Amino acid sequence: MLSEQKWMEDTIEKIREKMDWVSEKSRDKIPYTTVNGTHDDKSDGGKYALDDGINWWCNGFWGGMMWLMYHETGEEKYREIARNSEEKLDRCFAEYSGLHHDVGFMWMPTAVADYRLTGNQDSLRRGMHAANLLAGRFNANGNFIRAWNDQPDNDTRGWAIIDCMFNISLLYWAGEESGDPRFTRMAMAHADTAMRYFVRPDGSVRHIVEFDPETGEMVRDYGGQGYGQGSSWTRGQTWGLYGFAISYRHTGKQEYLDTAKRIAHYFIANIPEDGLIPVDFRQPHEPYWYDDTAAAIAAGGLLEIAAFVKEDERELYHRAAVKLLRALTDQHCCFDETNDCILQKCSGAYHSPEHEFPIIYGDYYFMEAMFKLKGGDVFLW
């Protein structure tokens, strides 16, 4: 078996080689998945009839991949492609109605990354605009960011989701950039609510919690994109694991790091021997579906935690992250030209009609984790 150092170097070189050609091939697209091996384009409608087009929540990750590559290589073409993607998202502000809690996922790895890396003032404006939209979703009755918009069959006014532990990064950044503490206080209030109501005693995480929008009292929880109520949707675990580590990075609040570690210990204890992550840790054995996105996000989160803990703790998180990343590279990655995406067995949700296909944010988080492992200082959240 290759040493960790040699495997890491070889894998990063494969990423660089793949991004070199696929960035040119898809330079005018905002991909979500692949169709017959070729990136689709969400800025031009995308693959699915029921999607949100340009407002699709994943539309920031392609730009984020390009900023990762710009930071890694210094090559101008990656900056140009990333900014093209960012500018296309201006349509979302104009259309407005399709936007919801996921504006953090859309503008942190695009506009905010651009501003951090280049100082672009247009990007600062976009990031602050998105942050104000997210702040407008804060419900002071229950101290949470409302998830989604009105739905025909569900009253979602009181719904909150674990995914927003990443979206509130936008509020932390806006507070730091503007000096206005309201943004930071809203982010921390949401994180405190998630700590109390989403994280179970064993360290597993709920996906959706419903609150009474008038009183803030918890009503119930939902299985959401996992197998069912009370189950353990793996990507949800990673949004919590990594998300609380991000909150610690921005605030220094010890409870956030302790919560990230508690979720991490649960996740590590449930990693299968082969290192490949299912859609839900409590899903049936048949059918057994994988979700490579959960593995990639977890790896990045574990490395984030490792950066904050004492040296004698660090190996636990580092070793688990490497196991996840090596399992992906050995079994589920495509680095050749047969598919524009890298990770091949991602799943959006347990009960979705389609499983084990490429998803763009899987590639983003895989690349981010590999660059973290290398010791890079890139941080887009």
Side-chain angles (χ1 to χ4, degrees):
M1 177 182 282
L2 289 176
S3 70
E4 181 182 319
Q5 182 69 24
K6 182 70 166 83
W7 158 78
M8 180 192 70
E9 292 172 353
D10 288 353
T11 301
I12 288 176
E13 181 57 30
K14 290 175 183 176
I15 290 171
R16 289 178 62 130
E17 291 174 357
K18 180 149 189 166
M19 288 301 106
D20 184 55
W21 63 262
V22 83
S23 64
E24 295 288 354
K25 182 180 178 183
S26 299
R27 67 161 40 240
D28 294 319
K29 296 179 178 181
I30 300 182
Y32 168 63
T33 186
T34 57
V35 180
N36 298 322
T38 298
H39 276 152
D40 67 350
D41 184 10
K42 298 296 283 188
S43 65
D44 190 33
K47 175 181 175 184
Y48 299 101
L50 298 178
D51 64 27
D52 296 318
I54 193 64
N55 291 315
W56 185 234
W57 75 273
C58 305
N59 283 356
F61 291 106
W62 173 248
M65 289 165 60
M66 297 299 98
W67 285 120
L68 289 175
M69 291 305 301
Y70 176 74
H71 184 272
E72 171 71 9
T73 68
E75 293 182 33
E76 277 297 301
K77 73 170 183 176
Y78 293 119
R79 182 192 62 78
E80 294 167 4
I81 298 168
R83 192 163 289 168
N84 178 50
S85 177
E86 176 185 338
E87 290 169 354
K88 284 186 175 186
L89 293 181
D90 284 349
R91 266 179 54 204
C92 303
F93 291 139
E95 295 176 6
Y96 174 71
S97 59
L99 296 177
H100 46 65
H101 62 273
D102 280 327
V103 292
F105 280 126
M106 296 173 72
W107 278 281
M108 282 298 290
T110 54
V112 176
D114 189 347
Y115 175 68
R116 282 172 166 167
L117 293 172
T118 73
N120 183 17
Q121 292 298 300
D122 286 338
S123 300
L124 172 62
R125 173 181 54 80
R126 292 181 179 109
M128 291 303 299
H129 187 25
N132 277 283
L133 290 174
L134 186 60
R137 303 187 67 84
F138 182 74
N139 185 330
N141 292 330
N143 288 323
F144 63 89
I145 302 291
R146 178 191 170 174
W148 297 300
N149 297 324
D150 294 335
Q151 297 180 13
D153 301 323
N154 290 309
D155 179 0
T156 60
R157 292 174 301 151
W159 283 24
I161 56 175
I162 194 62
D163 317 41
C164 267
M165 288 305 301
F166 258 82
N167 285 300
I168 61 174
S169 298
L170 185 61
L171 299 178
Y172 288 128
W173 168 79
E176 292 156 4
E177 186 59 38
S178 68
D180 189 333
R182 294 176 300 167
F183 293 107
T184 302
R185 291 303 172 192
M186 280 187 277
M188 293 181 72
H190 180 89
D192 291 345
T193 297
M195 246 189 334
R196 180 178 179 186
Y197 292 102
F198 282 81
V199 185
R200 302 181 183 117
D202 67 353
S204 65
V205 175
R206 298 179 171 108
H207 181 200
I208 302 170
V209 174
E210 179 181 355
F211 300 92
D212 185 310
E214 302 289 346
T215 68
E217 295 295 316
M218 179 179 172
V219 176
R220 58 163 295 182
D221 68 327
Y222 298 86
Q225 288 167 251
Y227 175 65
Q229 188 176 19
S231 70
S232 181
W233 176 49
T234 54
R235 194 162 72 253
Q237 313 308 301
T238 69
W239 294 142
L241 183 160
Y242 198 164
F244 279 106
I246 291 171
S247 281
Y248 175 74
R249 177 192 273 260
H250 284 285
T251 68
K253 185 172 179 176
Q254 185 63 39
E255 292 102 314
Y256 296 155
L257 181 58
D258 292 343
T259 301
K261 289 166 64 176
R262 182 147 58 96
I263 301 169
H265 294 168
Y266 169 82
F267 195 96
I268 292 169
N270 282 277
I271 295 175
E273 188 171 337
D274 63 5
L276 298 171
I277 301 301
V279 179
D280 195 304
F281 282 136
R282 298 170 186 166
Q283 71 183 30
H285 290 293
E286 292 292 338
Y288 192 92
W289 289 308
Y290 294 108
D291 183 13
D292 290 347
T293 73
I297 299 163
L302 291 165
L303 293 171
E304 187 73 12
I305 293 171
F308 298 131
V309 299
K310 296 177 182 177
E311 189 171 350
D312 60 351
E313 293 183 76
R314 204 164 294 153
E315 181 60 22
L316 170 68
Y317 306 107
H318 178 94
R319 185 171 62 250
V322 170
K323 179 174 182 175
L324 294 169
L325 293 169
R326 292 195 78 150
L328 291 175
T329 56
D330 291 347
Q331 301 176 69
H332 286 179
C333 281
C334 171
F335 292 110
D336 61 32
E337 297 190 20
T338 60
N339 197 290
D340 289 349
C341 278
I342 298 173
L343 299 187
Q344 298 297 299
K345 291 187 178 292
C346 308
S347 296
Y350 184 85
H351 294 288
S352 291
E354 188 173 2
H355 299 88
E356 299 185 350
F357 62 99
I359 298 179
I360 198 69
Y361 54 85
D363 285 7
Y364 169 85
Y365 284 106
F366 175 74
M367 290 169 56
E368 183 190 75
M370 289 304 305
F371 293 142
K372 274 179 183 280
L373 188 64
K374 180 186 174 185
D377 60 352
V378 64
F379 180 74
L380 302 189
W381 302 104

